Amino acid sequence: MSEQTRERGPEPAADDARRVVVAGAGMAGVQTAVALREQGFTGTLTLIGAEPHQPYDRPPLSKAVLLGTAEGSAFDVDFEALGITLRLGCEALGVRPEEHLLDTSEGPVPYDSLVLATGAEPVRLPGTDGVPGVHLLRTLDDAERLRPVLARRHDIVVGAGWIGAEFATAAREAGCAVTVVEAADRPLADALPAEVAAPMTAWYAEAGAALRTHARVERVEPGDPGEPLRVLLDDGTRLPADAVVVGIGARPSTAWLAGSGIALGTHGEVLADDLLRTSAPDVHAVGDCASFPSARYGERLLVHHWDNALQGPRTVAADIVGAPADEAPAAYDPVPYFWSEQFGRFVQYAGHHTAADTVLWRGDRTGPAWTVCWLRENRLVALLAVGRPRDLAQGKRLIRAGATMDPVLLADPARPLKGATA
């Protein structure tokens, strides 16, 4: 960590005179505010959210909320009791670090410490903005707009990312005809190697969803009144659809930081250090909008998953509150983790792998339960478990410990992972 990012501006002596402002009211923002109170911060604490709704959790949007089995997913947090001021329907527009001001749609907000937690936004399909029947699935409003589409059992075309697979699962449960379109040769091509994605490809047909790979969407043509949309593929095929759900990835929601001087990375993410401090004094960044250096993996990680938004706020809060003089601050270096429920399967992933890592299988990849492990010099660095939660729980601990594994023992699916160390 550079000395430049360690420098802080002058601070009031007493906590109760300090003002912390959190920009973003999703998981990362809410958990940062809660963690600050839990760790003893007594100053003014303001949580700013662009949406008008009470802060809510996003994972249920592609499941219970979408299917109508839950009306919402508001966080069970008593903001008033915690002394957290909510400013909802208030959009962050810019930061002036030298003046310690956050510019918003309701005017400038002064701060002593600022936390950027604006998350990620979905990648849009070019030329589809404003086209009736084309949907995203990122917000509560998105889910509520899509709920009647599923209820009417419409024909739906969807992308093949993680959210796309979860939406396709919900749509099939609702009785919709679903076609999944993917430009690559397999689903999740950006996340998983071909041999790992191969058995997952079969899940679509088993669920009754049509999967079209090597299919790039050229454009979506609006239908005549009463007629379906037409999804034009690059091979000239036109797919009729009552609705199109764009699930082709997400990118950090940071365009609003232009001109602030806060350093951004190649993906548009805020470049944070190992305490989640940014290049600007008294500004931290956490969750989907920020990357951080990982000593464990020897590279900078950008993690767009719920667990990162849950864990990072504790580091931010600890740095703002301040550690005792005789205690070194703990660097943020988690074992990344996420899960996905798709086509009747519970998929979990922990760690971080690269194409150079060795792939090792546990179990029959055509069966209902199997695990893939990634090894680097026989150290377990990542695993993906399908229907094997014990492998995931034990594997995560082994990754955190930097354990060296015996590949022969590890390949035996009947042997617990913790019993396969070298």
Side-chain angles (χ1 to χ4, degrees):
M1 185 183 308
S2 71
E3 287 303 316
Q4 182 180 6
T5 60
R6 288 295 194 202
E7 293 175 2
R8 304 287 93 182
E11 296 178 350
D15 259 1
D16 57 11
R18 295 173 64 194
R19 300 160 298 181
V20 175
V21 175
V22 181
M27 171 61 78
V30 168
Q31 289 300 320
T32 297
V34 171
L36 279 163
R37 290 303 191 215
E38 289 178 343
Q39 296 186 33
F41 178 72
T42 58
T44 301
L45 184 50
T46 304
L47 183 64
I48 292 177
E51 295 183 56
H53 310 290
Q54 280 290 112
Y56 61 88
D57 204 5
R58 294 189 187 276
L61 298 184
S62 59
K63 306 173 186 72
V65 175
L66 190 61
L67 289 170
T69 57
E71 288 302 313
S73 56
F75 291 113
D76 185 17
V77 174
D78 190 335
F79 295 100
E80 184 176 357
L82 290 173
I84 299 170
T85 299
L86 292 181
R87 295 184 62 174
L88 304 177
C90 180
E91 186 179 0
L93 301 177
V95 181
R96 288 179 274 168
E98 68 286 349
E99 300 174 60
H100 280 60
L101 288 174
L102 173 71
D103 288 316
T104 78
S105 56
E106 295 182 356
V109 179
Y111 66 83
D112 294 304
S113 291
L114 173 66
V115 182
L116 309 178
T118 46
E121 57 192 22
V123 175
R124 298 174 182 270
L125 199 59
T128 60
D129 284 351
V131 176
V134 177
H135 301 266
L136 300 169
L137 180 52
R138 184 69 180 176
T139 68
L140 181 59
D141 289 339
D142 292 336
E144 290 180 345
R145 280 190 289 267
L146 277 165
R147 190 186 296 180
V149 173
L150 268 61
R152 290 194 292 266
R153 298 186 177 183
H154 279 176
D155 293 348
I156 294 170
V157 173
V158 64
W162 290 109
I163 291 295
E166 292 185 357
F167 178 83
T169 299
R172 287 300 299 140
E173 287 181 25
C176 298
V178 177
T179 300
V180 179
V181 175
E182 171 55 51
D185 61 351
R186 62 190 187 275
L188 303 171
D190 292 338
L192 299 172
E195 63 180 303
V196 177
M200 303 172 80
T201 300
W203 299 351
Y204 290 80
E206 292 172 11
L211 174 63
R212 296 187 66 129
T213 56
H214 299 286
R216 186 178 298 278
V217 176
E218 289 286 344
R219 65 180 181 273
V220 178
E221 300 173 339
D224 295 326
E227 296 295 320
L229 300 162
R230 292 178 297 276
V231 180
L232 178 64
L233 305 182
D234 57 0
D235 64 359
T237 301
R238 279 180 167 82
L239 301 175
D242 296 304
V244 174
V245 179
V246 181
I248 55 176
R251 59 187 166 213
S253 183
T254 58
W256 65 281
L257 293 172
S260 68
I262 294 173
L264 304 180
T266 55
H267 301 285
E269 82 281 12
V270 178
L271 295 175
D273 66 12
D274 60 3
L275 294 180
L276 301 181
R277 294 171 171 176
T278 74
S279 61
D282 305 311
V283 181
H284 292 75
V286 65
D288 290 3
C289 71
S291 66
F292 56 90
S294 169
R296 177 178 288 107
Y297 291 106
E299 61 180 289
R300 180 170 284 275
L301 299 183
L302 175 59
V303 182
H304 280 181
H305 295 297
W306 185 90
D307 192 62
N308 179 50
L310 176 67
Q311 303 297 335
R314 298 169 191 165
T315 296
V316 171
D319 194 47
I320 291 175
V321 172
D326 59 346
E327 206 173 288
Y332 185 62
D333 196 5
V335 175
Y337 166 74
F338 74 89
W339 78 95
S340 177
E341 296 178 63
Q342 47 186 274
F343 307 116
R345 295 166 174 86
F346 189 44
V347 182
Q348 296 174 282
Y349 177 94
H352 173 71
H353 71 271
T354 68
D357 297 325
T358 301
V359 177
L360 190 147
W361 290 81
R362 286 168 57 82
D364 179 5
R365 67 193 74 182
T366 64
W370 43 268
T371 297
V372 177
C373 299
W374 282 270
L375 300 179
R376 188 176 303 171
E377 298 177 349
N378 284 343
R379 287 186 303 107
L380 184 65
V381 294
L383 79 160
L384 182 141
V386 176
R388 292 180 66 99
R390 183 174 297 179
D391 273 6
L392 190 287
Q394 294 181 9
K396 193 173 181 181
R397 288 193 291 268
L398 291 167
I399 294 170
R400 188 177 293 113
T404 301
M405 311 302 294
D406 182 321
V408 174
L409 299 179
L410 187 63
D412 179 3
R415 180 184 293 274
L417 269 177
K418 64 183 180 181
T421 56

